[in-house]
Amino acid sequence: MFGRSRYAVFALVALTVTACGSGEETYASIVDKAKNDKKLVIGVKADQPGLGLRTPDGSFSGFDVEVARYVAKQLGVEAKDITFKETVSANREAFLQQGQVDMVVATYSINDARKEKVSFAGPYFVAGQDLLVRADDTSLTGPEALNGKKLCSVAGSTPAQKVKESYAKQVQLQEERTYSACVDRILGGQLDALTTDNVILAGYAAQHGGKLKVVGKTFSTEKYGIGLKKDDKQGRDAVNDALEKMFADGSWKKALEGSVGAAGFAVPQAPQLERY
């Protein structure tokens, strides 16, 4: 019995040494990770123009990316020492829980269900559901005008269904795998509109200058937060402090204008942080 217990202790020590020797150290807070390693892995979207987009050279651009860089800088990590990792809506919580990323800045709406799994700083932007239509379409002035029209949204998403249930029961719903596919079909005349958050739509309008427009009549509220490991209160406080500074020094407005301003998107006031 003793021999077995001693073997177990030796095995545990060996595993501990191996883990330490791997160079992978776990930290209680993103603040400690940034301070000690001077590096961060940040989850962002890769397919949303103006927000999080992987460019042909492999780098990332967009408003979310600029917010991530600013926050990282305030935590002590330079832009060159950030590794951006593509995240999709379905894996954001898992990536944080598994330690694959240190934070997520990816049009990540704050809600109570998600707060059970991760922590949030922010919001750094308050979006609202809207419509993207062809620039010369004057008939679609809001969701109520969609009866008999063809409305696109991505598979597994709820915004289009919300329109049908609450605003236009005779709308024809069309699903595509990606927002880009919806946009292509609107440009081609096969579909009439795309619905999702206004700032996402503004990114596509900016990408296709002069051909598309955001209607500008929002009908929901989506608060985008920065996702962190669950219960990292020190990290939440530090990231909120960084956001507060970004709002105050003009960097937030500049990043938003530079990312989606070409779409004629009206830059709102910076949101109120919800510290907890």
Side-chain angles (χ1 to χ4, degrees):
M1 188 74 177
F2 174 75
R4 235 180 239 176
S5 299
R6 185 166 57 184
Y7 177 82
V9 171
F10 287 160
L12 180 60
V13 171
L15 283 171
T16 304
V17 171
T18 302
C20 292
S22 69
E24 292 294 326
E25 190 171 353
T26 58
Y27 294 99
S29 172
I30 191 175
V31 174
D32 300 321
K33 170 83 183 285
K35 180 180 178 181
N36 294 320
D37 289 1
K38 300 296 183 184
K39 292 181 180 180
L40 288 174
V41 181
I42 302 176
V44 293
K45 292 289 182 74
D47 61 348
Q48 292 182 344
L51 289 163
L53 184 70
R54 194 198 312 270
T55 57
D57 66 2
S59 62
F60 287 81
S61 67
F63 176 61
D64 282 355
V65 175
E66 291 306 312
V67 170
R69 287 180 176 139
Y70 188 98
V71 169
K73 174 76 171 176
Q74 297 305 306
L75 295 177
V77 177
E78 299 295 330
K80 65 181 177 58
D81 296 317
I82 298 170
T83 299
F84 286 111
K85 185 179 180 71
E86 179 182 356
T87 61
V88 297
S89 297
N91 65 19
R92 290 175 297 200
E93 284 96 28
F95 274 18
L96 284 166
Q97 290 170 328
Q98 296 162 6
Q100 293 195 45
V101 297
D102 300 306
M103 68 179 177
V104 170
V105 192
T107 58
Y108 199 3
S109 296
I110 301 169
N111 63 41
D112 290 339
R114 288 171 177 164
K115 280 184 178 180
E116 294 294 318
K117 300 175 181 178
V118 301
S119 289
F120 282 104
Y124 65 91
F125 188 81
V126 178
Q129 189 176 342
D130 209 325
L131 301 174
L132 183 72
V133 302
R134 287 181 292 278
D136 60 357
D137 189 337
T138 57
S139 66
L140 290 177
T141 54
E144 302 88 349
L146 282 165
N147 281 310
K149 301 289 188 178
K150 295 177 180 176
L151 175 66
C152 194
S153 193
V154 295
S157 179
T158 57
Q161 192 62 42
K162 179 179 179 179
V163 169
K164 187 176 181 71
E165 291 172 356
S166 305
Y167 298 98
K169 296 190 185 306
Q170 279 73 53
V171 68
Q172 299 175 46
L173 300 185
Q174 303 282 327
E175 281 193 343
E176 293 289 345
R177 194 178 65 83
T178 64
Y179 292 125
S180 297
C182 289
V183 169
D184 290 342
R185 296 192 68 194
I186 293 168
L187 289 168
Q190 296 91 16
L191 299 176
D192 299 301
L194 163 64
T195 187
T196 189
D197 297 348
N198 57 347
V199 70
I200 296 174
L201 298 177
Y204 285 105
Q207 187 182 42
H208 299 277
K211 296 179 181 179
L212 299 167
K213 67 180 180 182
V214 181
V215 168
K217 186 178 180 182
T218 58
F219 46 100
S220 77
T221 299
E222 302 292 339
K223 297 176 180 180
Y224 292 169
I226 294 179
L228 299 164
K229 186 172 63 175
K230 183 82 168 82
D231 297 327
D232 182 4
K233 186 178 187 310
Q234 184 185 8
R236 283 203 317 268
D237 290 344
V239 173
N240 276 326
D241 289 345
L243 289 174
E244 201 156 54
K245 184 176 180 181
M246 190 179 191
F247 297 163
D249 69 11
S251 299
W252 181 85
K253 183 179 180 182
K254 181 180 178 182
L256 195 55
E257 287 176 339
S259 300
V260 295
F265 185 74
V267 175
Q269 293 293 314
Q272 184 74 35
L273 295 174
E274 297 178 0
R275 296 176 182 265
Y276 68 97

